[in-house]
Amino acid sequence: MSPTPATPDAPVTPAGPPATPLDEAPATGSGQPGERRRFRAVLALARFETHDLLTQIQILFFFALCLGLVVLQMVRQEGMDDYPILNMVDRDTQTVPPLFALAVLVCANAAALRSRKYGTVHQFDVLAMDSWRRTLAHILSVVPFAALTALLVLARYTREALKPGAIGHGSLGELVVGPLTVLLAGVVGVLLARLLPSSFTPILFVIVFYLAVVVASELAGQGKGWAWQWLSPVSLDSVPSGDPVPSDLLGRPAAWHALYLLGLCAVVACAALLLSGGRTRAVKAATALALATTMAGVIGQVPRDTAALEEARKVASETPLKVQSCTKYDGSTYCSFPEWNGVRDDWSGVVRRARSLAGGTAATRPLTIRQRIDVTGGVEQDSSLTALTTPGEVTVGTHWGGNRVPEFAVGVATVLVTGTEEATTGELCGDARAVTIMWLALGADPTPLATFRDVRLDDSDKGSAVILAPTSGFSLGADQTTVVRELLDRPRAEITERVKTHWTELTSASTTTAQAAKLLGVPVPKEAEKCEE
């Protein structure tokens, strides 16, 4: 029997994860067809890495968390949510993605360090795929997660934009910040793996980045310059708050910031490729283009023509009629900033209901509804509007829905009863006009007692309180509260007839609360009797 010929021993490889589908792909051919094959190989590896990332518990947990937060935002139903301000909604979409970005950064870094963890780095020298191409595959593997974030952002914004009461319009530059933040985090994770290959590097990076953001936020809050605000991936004032303002008064370079983020993603990606040995002309050209794009974004964010912006804000605050359009409903004039033109029908409905309960000339008196803002202390600040002195003019703000509706009704009723917003409408021992105002504001409301509590600062229907209005509001005494509550418990037709019959007395500053109660046919409160004494 002839001896069995010896066979060479199979190469022994260290224990590790299953080899990717491309670790042994031959690099046959040359020229353009070979480049296409290599590019297809990179894409195939990127798909493999994406699938691997999808199995990571951190990715799944944080994506589920972000999805839950977005769904919670979408199903949340409050009064003002029925009239979303789209130039605030687009920025609100930037608050959730940073959570997902954190998970993508850590997991992308771990994926790029897998070969070091399992001791297979030395095998790369015998593989067909260059090291920088493998890095490119890791970079491409995080793109689908940016796309998932974009779907969440799109769903959140579309939900609000399709509401019949949606106000204004959003900005594409603001909407892409969330997805670009996730993409940037993933690319930074790959770069850190090539720059400082350690599993602790992402944690240290996140801590340092967080501290830098906190410091930058403090400096930006002190007005130390635009750079602290806009060179951060997420603008430090991206969370909308305060009273809404027209989009052209925001002064936010959203499009330039998005371009800056896109260029920054490309710069970080090119840096990772160069560190991995990618010295090809294509990589060098991409690096130059990325740097140019980033610099263009930085320069575009530099404040320009701030004097014109400040002048526009001053005009909108002090002489809004110059930048508003007006229309007429039922003899009254409604003036608003262009983005709020669609809400004027709702304003007219409130005015119509209040006038239907009024008597005398107030039932037909024309009013001027003026939308007002105050940005003298900065945009989107909670400001207190001063009462108008012009007879027949009523203030309405830029928020609408919820409690803003009865507050506006109070403002309308105040002008119908007293003639102007600045007139004194009642003290703790006040006159009958405060009772008349509250009846006009609440008498036609479907849930008057609940709305009565909402429009009071103390959210109750007993005792004295401050009544909220678009401007300064007024004080309602305990005696007046008792009378109003009695009126709201009576049949609407009965009280309306009495109000119209005794309109002159009920709108006189000399008529007391006790006298008003008698005229309206309700018991006189003991507080009112003590007040008269």
Side-chain angles (χ1 to χ4, degrees):
M1 176 181 293
S2 59
T4 303
T7 57
D9 293 336
V12 178
T13 59
T20 65
L22 307 173
D23 285 347
E24 299 183 41
T28 58
S30 59
Q32 193 65 24
E35 285 298 326
R36 284 199 296 268
R37 280 192 291 271
R38 282 190 285 270
F39 184 68
R40 287 197 298 268
V42 170
L43 292 180
L45 181 57
R47 287 194 297 270
F48 174 87
E49 294 295 347
T50 299
H51 180 270
D52 183 73
L53 288 175
L54 283 172
T55 63
Q56 302 301 310
I57 188 64
Q58 300 96 318
I59 293 284
L60 296 177
F61 174 78
F62 278 96
F63 182 75
L65 177 61
C66 293
L67 179 61
L69 291 174
V70 170
V71 171
L72 182 62
Q73 290 175 331
M74 292 169 61
V75 301
R76 181 185 58 192
Q77 290 297 328
E78 296 179 4
M80 287 188 293
D81 291 332
D82 293 333
Y83 298 84
I85 311 296
L86 297 184
N87 67 27
M88 301 179 80
V89 173
D90 57 5
R91 281 173 287 152
D92 198 33
T93 62
Q94 301 174 17
T95 58
V96 173
L99 293 174
F100 190 42
L102 177 64
V104 172
L105 186 153
V106 173
C107 291
N109 180 267
L113 290 176
R114 188 190 305 115
S115 58
R116 289 183 175 272
K117 177 180 179 181
Y118 291 102
T120 58
V121 177
H122 63 281
Q123 291 186 344
F124 286 169
D125 294 335
V126 299
L127 298 180
M129 184 175 291
D130 297 329
S131 176
W132 71 270
R133 294 183 189 274
R134 300 183 68 87
T135 298
L136 177 60
H138 282 292
I139 293 172
L140 294 177
S141 70
V142 302
V143 173
F145 299 98
L148 283 176
T149 308
L151 290 178
L152 291 181
V153 169
L154 183 61
R156 167 86 169 94
Y157 179 79
T158 303
R159 162 80 175 184
E160 303 301 315
L162 292 180
K163 289 183 177 179
I167 297 172
H169 54 81
S171 167
L172 180 61
E174 301 284 8
L175 293 173
V176 300
V177 168
L180 287 178
T181 301
V182 173
L183 178 61
L184 178 62
V187 177
V188 167
V190 177
L191 174 62
L192 293 177
R194 298 295 178 254
L195 189 63
L196 298 170
S198 170
S199 58
F200 294 102
T201 301
I203 300 175
L204 295 176
F205 176 82
V206 170
I207 294 174
V208 171
F209 180 77
Y210 175 77
L211 294 176
V213 168
V214 171
V215 173
S217 179
E218 291 293 329
L219 293 174
Q222 299 171 8
K224 293 298 181 64
W226 63 272
W228 296 108
Q229 174 182 348
W230 290 103
L231 296 186
S232 172
V234 178
S235 174
L236 299 179
D237 66 345
S238 61
V239 181
S241 61
D243 296 326
V245 299
S247 300
D248 57 352
L249 300 183
L250 289 174
R252 292 176 59 85
W256 289 111
H257 185 65
L259 182 65
Y260 162 74
L261 274 184
L262 182 63
L264 195 60
C265 290
V267 167
V268 175
C270 290
L273 295 178
L274 291 172
L275 286 174
S276 301
R279 301 291 195 275
T280 65
R281 285 181 294 179
V283 174
K284 293 178 181 178
T287 303
L289 180 61
L291 288 172
T293 302
T294 306
M295 288 306 302
V298 171
I299 295 172
Q301 294 179 93
V302 176
R304 295 183 181 83
D305 203 8
T306 55
L309 180 60
E310 291 300 324
E311 179 63 24
R313 291 174 176 175
K314 181 179 179 181
V315 169
S317 298
E318 299 178 359
T319 54
L321 185 58
K322 294 182 178 179
V323 291
Q324 290 180 344
S325 62
C326 300
T327 188
K328 285 193 174 183
Y329 297 98
D330 300 326
S332 294
T333 303
Y334 297 81
C335 300
S336 65
F337 295 103
E339 293 173 69
W340 279 263
N341 288 350
V343 195
R344 294 191 290 208
D345 286 340
D346 298 271
W347 299 344
S348 68
V350 175
V351 174
R352 192 180 306 114
R353 289 192 295 272
R355 290 171 66 175
S356 69
L357 303 176
T361 59
T364 56
R365 183 189 309 160
L367 300 177
T368 299
I369 311 303
R370 177 86 61 209
Q371 189 174 43
R372 297 171 59 203
I373 59 174
D374 182 7
V375 292
T376 55
V379 294
E380 296 184 328
Q381 301 293 322
D382 289 322
S383 56
S384 178
L385 299 172
T386 58
L388 294 171
T389 60
T390 307
E393 283 203 4
V394 184
T395 296
V396 64
T398 49
H399 269 309
W400 188 248
N403 288 355
R404 302 295 90 81
V405 177
E407 289 172 14
F408 174 62
V410 170
V412 172
T414 299
V415 175
L416 289 176
V417 172
T418 66
T420 64
E421 289 184 341
E422 70 164 355
T424 301
T425 55
E427 300 297 337
L428 291 181
C429 287
D431 56 50
R433 293 180 297 173
V435 174
T436 309
I437 288 172
M438 295 311 299
W439 169 251
L440 297 187
L442 303 173
D445 193 275
T447 57
L449 285 176
T451 305
F452 184 35
R453 290 189 288 269
D454 291 339
V455 84
R456 289 164 56 100
L457 190 59
D458 62 352
D459 295 325
S460 74
D461 58 4
K462 296 180 181 179
S464 59
V466 173
I467 300 299
L468 301 174
T471 54
S472 55
F474 60 92
S475 297
L476 193 71
D479 55 336
Q480 297 161 331
T481 297
T482 302
V483 173
V484 171
R485 202 169 57 245
E486 288 287 342
L487 293 177
L488 298 179
D489 284 336
R490 299 296 180 90
R492 181 184 305 171
E494 173 191 337
I495 301 301
T496 300
E497 183 180 356
R498 286 179 176 271
V499 168
K500 292 185 176 182
T501 301
H502 303 287
W503 181 257
T504 302
E505 297 95 321
L506 292 173
T507 57
S508 172
S510 61
T511 305
T512 64
T513 302
Q515 292 170 338
K518 295 175 182 178
L519 292 172
L520 296 172
V522 298
V524 178
K526 294 180 179 180
E527 300 93 332
E529 294 176 346
K530 293 179 181 179
C531 202
E532 286 188 342
E533 293 174 0

